[in-house]
mmCIF file of all heavy atoms in Angstrom:
data_model
loop_
_atom_site.group_PDB
_atom_site.id
_atom_site.type_symbol
_atom_site.label_atom_id
_atom_site.label_comp_id
_atom_site.label_asym_id
_atom_site.label_seq_id
_atom_site.Cartn_x
_atom_site.Cartn_y
_atom_site.Cartn_z
ATOM 1 N N HIS A 66 92.058 -48.960 -163.625
ATOM 2 C CA HIS A 66 91.167 -47.813 -163.796
ATOM 3 C C HIS A 66 90.271 -48.005 -165.024
ATOM 4 O O HIS A 66 89.054 -47.800 -164.958
ATOM 5 C CB HIS A 66 91.987 -46.535 -163.938
ATOM 6 C CG HIS A 66 91.160 -45.289 -163.904
ATOM 7 N ND1 HIS A 66 91.691 -44.039 -164.073
ATOM 8 C CD2 HIS A 66 89.818 -45.099 -163.748
ATOM 9 C CE1 HIS A 66 90.735 -43.125 -163.990
ATOM 10 N NE2 HIS A 66 89.582 -43.745 -163.811
ATOM 11 N N GLU A 67 90.864 -48.409 -166.139
ATOM 12 C CA GLU A 67 90.069 -48.634 -167.345
ATOM 13 C C GLU A 67 88.999 -49.702 -167.104
ATOM 14 O O GLU A 67 87.829 -49.540 -167.494
ATOM 15 C CB GLU A 67 90.975 -49.065 -168.498
ATOM 16 C CG GLU A 67 90.215 -49.345 -169.783
ATOM 17 C CD GLU A 67 91.110 -49.789 -170.933
ATOM 18 O OE1 GLU A 67 92.333 -49.515 -170.873
ATOM 19 O OE2 GLU A 67 90.591 -50.403 -171.891
ATOM 20 N N TYR A 68 89.409 -50.771 -166.441
ATOM 21 C CA TYR A 68 88.481 -51.866 -166.161
ATOM 22 C C TYR A 68 87.356 -51.416 -165.226
ATOM 23 O O TYR A 68 86.170 -51.635 -165.503
ATOM 24 C CB TYR A 68 89.254 -53.032 -165.559
ATOM 25 C CG TYR A 68 88.404 -54.132 -164.978
ATOM 26 C CD1 TYR A 68 87.642 -54.946 -165.813
ATOM 27 C CD2 TYR A 68 88.378 -54.356 -163.606
ATOM 28 C CE1 TYR A 68 86.858 -55.961 -165.283
ATOM 29 C CE2 TYR A 68 87.612 -55.379 -163.075
ATOM 30 C CZ TYR A 68 86.850 -56.172 -163.910
ATOM 31 O OH TYR A 68 86.072 -57.173 -163.381
ATOM 32 N N CYS A 69 87.710 -50.802 -164.117
ATOM 33 C CA CYS A 69 86.700 -50.394 -163.141
ATOM 34 C C CYS A 69 85.742 -49.359 -163.731
ATOM 35 O O CYS A 69 84.536 -49.390 -163.442
ATOM 36 C CB CYS A 69 87.360 -49.849 -161.891
ATOM 37 S SG CYS A 69 88.200 -51.099 -160.890
ATOM 38 N N SER A 70 86.252 -48.451 -164.535
ATOM 39 C CA SER A 70 85.376 -47.484 -165.198
ATOM 40 C C SER A 70 84.388 -48.197 -166.109
ATOM 41 O O SER A 70 83.204 -47.845 -166.161
ATOM 42 C CB SER A 70 86.201 -46.479 -165.997
ATOM 43 O OG SER A 70 86.959 -45.647 -165.153
ATOM 44 N N GLY A 71 84.873 -49.212 -166.808
ATOM 45 C CA GLY A 71 83.976 -49.998 -167.646
ATOM 46 C C GLY A 71 82.917 -50.718 -166.846
ATOM 47 O O GLY A 71 81.741 -50.773 -167.241
ATOM 48 N N VAL A 72 83.307 -51.264 -165.698
ATOM 49 C CA VAL A 72 82.340 -51.937 -164.816
ATOM 50 C C VAL A 72 81.277 -50.950 -164.350
ATOM 51 O O VAL A 72 80.071 -51.245 -164.369
ATOM 52 C CB VAL A 72 83.056 -52.568 -163.597
ATOM 53 C CG1 VAL A 72 82.035 -53.099 -162.603
ATOM 54 C CG2 VAL A 72 83.984 -53.692 -164.041
ATOM 55 N N LEU A 73 81.700 -49.764 -163.926
ATOM 56 C CA LEU A 73 80.749 -48.759 -163.450
ATOM 57 C C LEU A 73 79.718 -48.414 -164.519
ATOM 58 O O LEU A 73 78.517 -48.345 -164.251
ATOM 59 C CB LEU A 73 81.488 -47.493 -163.011
ATOM 60 C CG LEU A 73 82.368 -47.603 -161.767
ATOM 61 C CD1 LEU A 73 83.087 -46.282 -161.511
ATOM 62 C CD2 LEU A 73 81.561 -48.008 -160.553
ATOM 63 N N HIS A 74 80.180 -48.198 -165.753
ATOM 64 C CA HIS A 74 79.249 -47.850 -166.829
ATOM 65 C C HIS A 74 78.334 -49.024 -167.171
ATOM 66 O O HIS A 74 77.165 -48.826 -167.540
ATOM 67 C CB HIS A 74 80.025 -47.406 -168.073
ATOM 68 C CG HIS A 74 80.529 -45.997 -167.986
ATOM 69 N ND1 HIS A 74 81.713 -45.669 -167.342
ATOM 70 C CD2 HIS A 74 80.005 -44.830 -168.443
ATOM 71 C CE1 HIS A 74 81.896 -44.360 -167.425
ATOM 72 N NE2 HIS A 74 80.876 -43.825 -168.074
ATOM 73 N N ALA A 75 78.848 -50.259 -167.042
ATOM 74 C CA ALA A 75 78.040 -51.436 -167.382
ATOM 75 C C ALA A 75 76.925 -51.672 -166.371
ATOM 76 O O ALA A 75 75.814 -52.074 -166.740
ATOM 77 C CB ALA A 75 78.940 -52.668 -167.478
ATOM 78 N N VAL A 76 77.196 -51.424 -165.090
ATOM 79 C CA VAL A 76 76.212 -51.766 -164.058
ATOM 80 C C VAL A 76 75.360 -50.584 -163.611
ATOM 81 O O VAL A 76 74.332 -50.778 -162.954
ATOM 82 C CB VAL A 76 76.896 -52.397 -162.824
ATOM 83 C CG1 VAL A 76 77.753 -53.592 -163.232
ATOM 84 C CG2 VAL A 76 77.732 -51.386 -162.049
ATOM 85 N N ALA A 77 75.758 -49.360 -163.952
ATOM 86 C CA ALA A 77 75.049 -48.171 -163.456
ATOM 87 C C ALA A 77 73.551 -48.169 -163.756
ATOM 88 O O ALA A 77 72.760 -47.735 -162.913
ATOM 89 C CB ALA A 77 75.707 -46.902 -164.004
ATOM 90 N N PRO A 78 73.105 -48.649 -164.924
ATOM 91 C CA PRO A 78 71.656 -48.631 -165.167
ATOM 92 C C PRO A 78 70.876 -49.639 -164.319
ATOM 93 O O PRO A 78 69.652 -49.545 -164.239
ATOM 94 C CB PRO A 78 71.553 -48.989 -166.659
ATOM 95 C CG PRO A 78 72.898 -48.735 -167.241
ATOM 96 C CD PRO A 78 73.850 -49.062 -166.129
ATOM 97 N N HIS A 79 71.560 -50.589 -163.699
ATOM 98 C CA HIS A 79 70.875 -51.714 -163.070
ATOM 99 C C HIS A 79 71.090 -51.814 -161.557
ATOM 100 O O HIS A 79 70.277 -52.423 -160.864
ATOM 101 C CB HIS A 79 71.340 -53.019 -163.720
ATOM 102 C CG HIS A 79 71.394 -52.945 -165.215
ATOM 103 N ND1 HIS A 79 70.255 -52.855 -165.987
ATOM 104 C CD2 HIS A 79 72.455 -52.902 -166.080
ATOM 105 C CE1 HIS A 79 70.601 -52.780 -167.259
ATOM 106 N NE2 HIS A 79 71.924 -52.818 -167.346
ATOM 107 N N ALA A 80 72.178 -51.267 -161.041
ATOM 108 C CA ALA A 80 72.521 -51.392 -159.618
ATOM 109 C C ALA A 80 72.183 -50.117 -158.866
ATOM 110 O O ALA A 80 72.304 -49.010 -159.398
ATOM 111 C CB ALA A 80 74.006 -51.712 -159.461
ATOM 112 N N ALA A 81 71.774 -50.288 -157.615
ATOM 113 C CA ALA A 81 71.520 -49.130 -156.756
ATOM 114 C C ALA A 81 72.829 -48.552 -156.233
ATOM 115 O O ALA A 81 72.945 -47.341 -156.040
ATOM 116 C CB ALA A 81 70.628 -49.537 -155.588
ATOM 117 N N CYS A 82 73.793 -49.417 -156.006
ATOM 118 C CA CYS A 82 75.061 -48.943 -155.450
ATOM 119 C C CYS A 82 76.182 -49.894 -155.832
ATOM 120 O O CYS A 82 75.944 -50.990 -156.366
ATOM 121 C CB CYS A 82 74.971 -48.816 -153.926
ATOM 122 S SG CYS A 82 74.633 -50.366 -153.055
ATOM 123 N N ILE A 83 77.389 -49.445 -155.564
ATOM 124 C CA ILE A 83 78.565 -50.295 -155.742
ATOM 125 C C ILE A 83 79.339 -50.311 -154.431
ATOM 126 O O ILE A 83 79.211 -49.417 -153.606
ATOM 127 C CB ILE A 83 79.456 -49.835 -156.915
ATOM 128 C CG1 ILE A 83 79.866 -48.358 -156.742
ATOM 129 C CG2 ILE A 83 78.770 -50.058 -158.236
ATOM 130 C CD1 ILE A 83 81.295 -48.174 -156.371
ATOM 131 N N LYS A 84 80.118 -51.373 -154.256
ATOM 132 C CA LYS A 84 80.928 -51.528 -153.051
ATOM 133 C C LYS A 84 82.382 -51.649 -153.486
ATOM 134 O O LYS A 84 82.769 -52.636 -154.125
ATOM 135 C CB LYS A 84 80.485 -52.759 -152.255
ATOM 136 C CG LYS A 84 81.276 -53.001 -150.983
ATOM 137 C CD LYS A 84 80.625 -54.080 -150.130
ATOM 138 C CE LYS A 84 80.682 -55.451 -150.755
ATOM 139 N NZ LYS A 84 82.084 -55.997 -150.879
#
Side-chain angles (χ1 to χ4, degrees):
H66 189 183
E67 179 181 339
Y68 169 69
C69 290
S70 292
V72 173
L73 292 177
H74 281 83
V76 306
H79 315 291
C82 62
I83 55 108
K84 180 170 68 66

